[in-house]
């Protein structure tokens, strides 16, 4: 039983990061209808820029987090205004091809600049263990999870309670009506893409403080984010959170009881099962558009 609780805790910790990363993907897809294949590379950039600010320049972790937020938000804004904007309204294929090209560019550019070696982000606290009954968790992991929960809540409040969030929902329900009502829809599209990219990048930086960031990790992250979004339901904010936690727990249980070397397989098994028995995803019957 003690071992089960430890695996469950490990799964919920990693699942929180999966959820934060997938929120960015489901936000961009659910609101903008853009299938972003560069999502994993944006996540990777979050880890690499986080390493640059904290380990290379020696800045405080939370200062680095704020700088990564600003840098990736600007990058996401520029990508939407100068790239995505050019193919908007032309169907899904041009957007897919564009984001695939962007992912290749970002991965190779990062390889050229920092190389293929793992890069560790300097954490906010030490890795000293905390004992909660039979469960052991490090201070670093607990802090990262608390920051992740705060970011998820902040994203939810931004979308549901602010004027920008209202403008986002109005634009993606009927962009023409929103335009006639005076909403600057191009700015709303750019802000949404920037928000989705920022959530992915922050997830990358937080997880790189526990493990490490690598220029070549984007492809696997994109696949896992798509797994989470399919599990939870396309465009569902709550579905991304539940899907992320489900994938994290499933991987932890599989790695703990079955085989650690094949842990990535369980995500694809879950996708096959969900497509067979509930292809719309867990939350699709009452899906909320982020």
């Amino acid at each position: 039983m003690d071992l089960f609780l430890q695996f469950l805790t490990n799964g919920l910790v990693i699942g929180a990061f999966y959820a934060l990363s997938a929120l960015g993907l489901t936000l961009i897809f659910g609101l903008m209808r853009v299938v972003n294949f560069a999502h994993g590379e944006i996540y990777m950039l979050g880890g690499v820029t986080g390493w640059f600010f904290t380990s290379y320049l020696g800045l405080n972790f939370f200062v680095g987090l704020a700088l990564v937020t600003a840098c990736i938000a600007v990058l996401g804004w520029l990508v939407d205004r100068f790239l995505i904007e050019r193919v908007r309204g032309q169907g899904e294929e041009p957007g897919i091809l564009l984001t695939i090209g962007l992912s290749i560019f970002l991965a190779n550019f990062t390889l050229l600049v920092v190389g293929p070696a793992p890069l560790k982000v300097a954490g906010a606290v030490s890795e000293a263990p905390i004992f909660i009954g039979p469960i052991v968790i490090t201070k670093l992991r607990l802090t990262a999870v608390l920051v992740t929960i705060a970011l998820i809540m902040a994203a939810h409040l931004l979308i549901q309670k602010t004027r920008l969030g209202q403008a986002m929902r109005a634009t993606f329900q009927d962009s023409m009506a929103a335009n006639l009502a005076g909403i600057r829809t191009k700015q709303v599209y750019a802000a949404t893409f920037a928000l989705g990219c920022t959530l992915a990048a922050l997830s990358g930086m937080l997880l790189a403080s526990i493990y490490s960031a690598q220029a070549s990790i984007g492809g696997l992250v994109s696949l896992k984010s798509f797994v989470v979004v399919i599990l939870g339901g396309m465009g569902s904010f709550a579905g991304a959170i539940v899907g992320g936690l489900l994938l994290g727990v499933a991987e932890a249980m599989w790695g703990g009881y079955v085989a650690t070397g094949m842990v990535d397989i369980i995500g694809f098994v879950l996708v096959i099962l969900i497509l067979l028995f509930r292809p719309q995803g867990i939350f699709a019957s009452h899906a909320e558009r982020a």
Side-chain angles (χ1 to χ4, degrees), residues 16-30:
F17 300 114
Y18 288 162
L20 182 61
S21 176
L23 273 181
L25 185 66
T26 203
L27 191 67
I28 292 171
F29 178 80

Side-chain angles (χ1 to χ4, degrees), residues 146-273:
L146 292 176
V147 173
T148 300
I149 293 171
L151 289 171
I152 290 173
M153 292 176 65
H156 178 72
L157 290 175
L158 188 151
I159 293 168
Q160 297 298 331
K161 303 294 182 184
T162 67
R163 294 189 65 180
L164 175 60
Q166 291 175 347
M168 285 179 179
R169 286 180 280 129
T171 298
F172 300 114
Q173 285 176 5
D174 190 332
S175 61
M176 184 178 293
N179 221 346
L180 292 173
I183 295 174
R184 299 166 66 186
T185 54
K186 288 184 179 180
Q187 304 293 337
V188 172
Y189 279 116
T192 305
F193 195 82
L195 177 59
C197 291
T198 302
L199 291 175
L202 293 178
S203 175
M205 179 177 174
L206 288 166
L207 206 55
S209 70
I210 297 173
Y211 300 107
S212 62
Q214 277 184 284
S216 58
I217 202 172
L220 181 61
V221 173
S222 287
L223 284 175
K224 292 200 175 188
S225 296
F226 278 111
V227 166
V228 171
V229 170
I230 292 170
L231 287 176
M234 293 284 188
S236 170
F237 194 98
I241 297 172
V242 173
L245 296 176
L246 181 61
L247 178 63
V249 171
E251 286 188 348
M253 294 296 175
W254 181 276
Y257 288 115
V258 184
T260 53
M262 302 173 67
V263 74
D264 292 331
I265 289 177
I266 191 64
F268 301 106
V269 173
L270 287 175
V271 164
I272 292 170
L273 291 175

Side-chain angles (χ1 to χ4, degrees), residues 14 17 20 42-52 54-55 61 65 68 117-124 127 140-141 144 148 200-215 217 221:
I14 195 73
F17 300 114
L20 182 61
I42 299 293
Y43 167 100
M44 174 272 295
L45 278 183
V48 172
T49 51
W51 163 83
F52 175 75
T54 60
S55 296
F61 177 83
L65 201 69
V68 168
L119 306 168
K120 186 81 163 62
V121 171
E127 297 197 49
L140 182 60
R141 288 190 179 216
T148 300
L202 293 178
S203 175
M205 179 177 174
L206 288 166
L207 206 55
S209 70
I210 297 173
Y211 300 107
S212 62
Q214 277 184 284
I217 202 172
V221 173

Side-chain angles (χ1 to χ4, degrees), residues 52-70:
F52 175 75
F53 288 128
T54 60
S55 296
Y56 190 81
L57 295 182
L59 299 179
N60 174 273
F61 177 83
F62 291 104
V63 174
L65 201 69
L67 290 173
V68 168
T69 300

